[in-house]
Amino acid sequence: MTASAERPTRPLAAKPGGYVELARYSSLSRFWALLGGAVRADRSVSTVRGDPPEVCRRRITGYTLPNASIFLDTSRLLKELEDGFEPHPALVDLLSGDPFPLRAELNAHFELRANFVIAFTARRDLIARPEFRFTPIVQGLSSLPDGLPLDARRLGRDELHLLLQRACGVA
């Protein structure tokens, strides 16, 4: 990898849509520290498709969280279940107001795959776009219906920043 690829130096001109501001008046060295920490933590760091290597935007993949059912967006799932669903005891309990059986099922058979696109802007903002997805630990082991929308809830800036730091091994 070239020096410009390891330590990009050209900030993004503006914050693109879908990104969360993690730190205002940040520094390029903080951005580099996150990238270096991610490499040391055995995460995959790659350029975003279409960006030249000197642009300060990278995708960090390979971080997973076990026992992450607390991040499940139950309100979105409940809206989907109102339209019809395959009966499952944990889903019936969720509809009756008890999320704990579903959370236990998720914790036992799923993990949260947390990927991030991080960038540094010309206004000195450290920004990130999270890409969260619940994935089965072992395919077919869970008895939850296929196609169930297991989406992560929207995280606050501080929660997101902490998860990014953990993914990069700096927290």
Side-chain angles (χ1 to χ4, degrees):
M1 197 181 271
T2 64
S4 65
E6 290 174 2
R7 290 191 164 204
T9 56
R10 195 172 90 207
L12 290 179
K15 179 179 119 177
Y19 284 74
V20 176
E21 178 186 287
L22 299 180
R24 193 172 277 178
Y25 305 115
S26 190
S27 67
L28 199 51
S29 63
R30 180 71 182 139
F31 178 73
W32 291 341
L34 287 171
L35 295 180
V39 169
R40 286 187 298 280
D42 264 348
R43 311 290 177 239
S44 175
V45 178
S46 60
T47 58
V48 175
R49 185 173 52 167
D51 283 354
E54 64 273 4
V55 171
C56 294
R57 180 166 43 180
R58 294 290 185 271
R59 175 172 274 110
I60 298 171
T61 60
Y63 183 60
T64 57
L65 285 162
N67 301 319
S69 67
I70 190 77
F71 295 112
L72 178 67
D73 188 348
T74 53
S75 61
R76 187 179 301 168
L77 182 57
L78 282 169
K79 286 178 187 174
E80 287 291 322
L81 294 178
E82 286 177 2
D83 294 334
F85 69 100
E86 228 175 283
H88 185 278
L91 298 176
V92 172
D93 288 341
L94 178 66
L95 286 169
S96 68
D98 183 11
F100 297 109
L102 178 60
R103 287 190 175 164
E105 177 77 15
L106 282 178
N107 285 339
H109 301 293
F110 290 83
E111 61 189 4
L112 183 65
R113 186 165 293 157
N115 298 329
F116 302 90
V117 176
I118 65 169
F120 183 72
T121 69
R123 294 185 62 191
R124 300 182 55 131
D125 295 334
L126 180 64
I127 59 175
R129 186 183 75 222
E131 300 168 349
F132 297 145
R133 187 175 64 223
F134 282 96
T135 57
I137 297 170
V138 176
Q139 194 67 36
L141 196 56
S142 174
S143 61
L144 287 174
D146 292 333
L148 192 64
L150 299 174
D151 298 318
R153 66 178 167 79
R154 212 177 146 102
L155 299 181
R157 180 180 71 177
D158 293 337
E159 288 176 303
L160 187 61
H161 199 175
L162 180 62
L163 282 178
L164 174 63
Q165 290 174 334
R166 286 188 175 175
C168 295
V170 296

